[in-house]
Amino acid sequence: GPTRKMPLTASAMDFFQLFVPDNVLKNMVVQTNMYAKKYQERFGSDDAWIDVTLTEMKAFLGYMISTSIHHCESVLSIWSSGFYSNKSIALIMTQSRFEKILKYFHIVAFRSSQTTHSLYKIQPFLDSLQNGFDSAFRPSQAQVLHEPLIDEDPVFIATCTERELRKRKKRKFSLWVRQCSSTGFICQIYVHLKEGSGADGLDALKNKPQLHSMVAKSLCQNASGKNYIIFTGPSITSLNLFEEFEKQEIYCCGLLSTRKSDCTGLPPSMLNNSETPQSRGQYRIRMKGNMSLICWYNKGHFRFLTNAYSPVQQGVIIKRKSGEIPCPLAVEAFAAHLSYICKYDDKYSKYFISHKPNKTWQQVFWFAISIAINNAYILYKMSEAYHVTRYSRAQFGERLVKELLGLEDTSPSH
């Protein structure tokens, strides 16, 4: 849970600033103004530009965050006369001023000579965000490594052409997280850039166990020695990785797939389906030290690799139609923790910022801001302030937008 007690009067902005404090926003102001100056020195002066202020930067973020609540395809719809217009917040800043800030917005204006990292334009912000996550929250023992579902606006998907849809799906990175499966709080973010196209594309990389092993190690670099139990999907699960984690006192439970997983070192007899028909709930086990390979049957064969649960401990999967199905405890635990993450995706994925810039670092930035707001709401729900105001996720987002824009209205919005 939270590491600090927030006051009863804590606002949405107070929770958000646990992760994005004023000093980070002030740095955005400085870097944006530096970039604007450099840009104009190179391409000619811009008489309409005036240096951005901290108040304007907060309002700029507020406008962007408002797209996560109202799901307008373009943030500029706020100033239009159409369905997504929002006169109550459009008056804070003119559209032309917003577009100027958007044009010059930067987190790192200059590339240093030592920088080789492709994400140098956003890495300081990601590091700051990570420090905020680490200091504000203590995760539960059980955590999940996965790619969070980033919801696309269903209205846009239904109306756009196939060409627009193809163009939109070409994201040049994959975003992975380590997530507390008891609360949904995202403890760590890892961004993997797609270097080039074709064979190195994102779809091709999904079948590369060495990539996912690297992702898992990066996500768990701060987890060693804490006896965490990490749940993983088929692309990450492998005997070599789990044994490496066990040396660091990180324990694992993963779903295994003969098609997607690295099955090196596993007995072939457990990877082949038996020809004799099996009844639901039957399972076979092979062990090596603390590691167990479980093959469990439920309308198909499911394989699990774990060193976190004893294979002889019994669990049960409850189905609405077929009742209780016996299984090892590891299978029950895996199903429970993964179902929680599905519930998190259903509830929070719709609140990702809708603005889709062309630049990769900006796409990563808005995804990271969206995750920070979701984390802020999770902390708010666990605080005493929630029992006073009881905002829904949408209301919390609206409150945050109003506070960033400096609007005086403090009454809950419905």
Side-chain angles (χ1 to χ4, degrees), residues 334-400:
F334 185 90
H337 292 294
L338 264 289
S339 70
Y340 189 93
I341 297 306
C342 291
K343 287 176 189 172
Y344 173 91
D345 282 342
D346 290 345
K347 182 171 183 179
Y348 292 105
S349 65
K350 64 172 77 74
Y351 294 109
F352 276 77
I353 290 168
S354 297
H355 176 68
K356 299 292 188 292
N358 291 325
K359 292 187 173 72
T360 298
W361 74 263
Q362 290 184 3
Q363 292 173 18
V364 174
F365 175 76
W366 296 119
F367 284 139
I369 287 283
S370 302
I371 287 171
I373 299 168
N374 285 339
N375 275 356
Y377 181 69
I378 288 167
L379 290 189
Y380 160 72
K381 282 201 76 174
M382 297 168 75
S383 74
E384 293 179 0
Y386 177 71
H387 300 292
V388 177
T389 49
R390 289 191 173 273
Y391 293 134
S392 66
R393 173 62 183 84
Q395 289 172 331
F396 182 86
E398 287 178 358
R399 291 301 314 143
L400 178 60

Side-chain angles (χ1 to χ4, degrees), residues 11 23 37 63 156 240 247 321 348 359:
S11 63
N23 66 321
K37 184 180 177 184
Y63 284 126
F156 172 78
N240 291 335
K247 292 172 187 172
K321 290 183 179 177
Y348 292 105
K359 292 187 173 72

Side-chain angles (χ1 to χ4, degrees), residues 222-263:
N222 300 328
S224 59
K226 296 180 181 176
N227 287 312
Y228 288 153
I229 297 174
I230 303 294
F231 292 89
T232 63
S235 59
I236 292 178
T237 302
S238 80
L239 179 62
N240 291 335
L241 180 67
F242 283 13
E243 287 179 336
E244 196 173 323
F245 275 168
E246 189 174 356
K247 292 172 187 172
Q248 302 171 36
E249 294 179 44
I250 301 170
Y251 301 94
C252 306
C253 180
L255 182 64
L256 196 69
S257 161
T258 52
R259 190 169 54 88
K260 291 183 179 179
S261 305
D262 177 6
C263 296

Side-chain angles (χ1 to χ4, degrees), residues 9-44:
T9 54
S11 63
M13 185 74 163
D14 292 331
F15 287 97
F16 177 64
Q17 293 215 301
L18 291 172
F19 311 124
V20 189
D22 267 352
N23 66 321
V24 171
L25 298 175
K26 286 173 184 172
N27 180 63
M28 291 179 195
V29 170
V30 170
Q31 297 293 328
T32 298
N33 290 332
M34 285 169 62
Y35 181 79
K37 184 180 177 184
K38 180 180 81 168
Y39 186 93
Q40 290 173 49
E41 284 172 358
R42 187 173 177 184
F43 298 107

Side-chain angles (χ1 to χ4, degrees), residues 144-146 148 175-179 186 188-190 219 371:
V144 179
L145 305 187
H146 72 120
L175 185 75
W176 295 78
V177 299
R178 175 163 59 88
Q179 189 168 15
I186 287 177
Q188 194 159 353
I189 300 171
Y190 177 78
L219 285 170
I371 287 171

Side-chain angles (χ1 to χ4, degrees), residues 62-114:
Y63 284 126
M64 286 296 195
I65 292 166
S66 71
T67 67
S68 68
I69 307 155
H70 304 294
H71 300 291
C72 47
E73 177 49 31
S74 168
V75 66
L76 301 181
S77 305
I78 292 167
W79 291 274
S80 72
S81 55
F83 179 76
Y84 290 114
S85 66
N86 194 331
K87 297 289 184 282
S88 63
I89 66 174
L91 300 172
I92 303 298
M93 184 186 287
T94 64
Q95 180 179 338
S96 59
R97 178 59 176 164
F98 174 85
E99 288 184 276
K100 284 292 177 193
I101 298 172
L102 181 60
K103 178 181 178 181
Y104 295 122
F105 175 68
H106 264 70
I107 295 161
V108 176
F110 300 101
R111 183 172 192 154
S112 67
S113 55
Q114 294 85 26

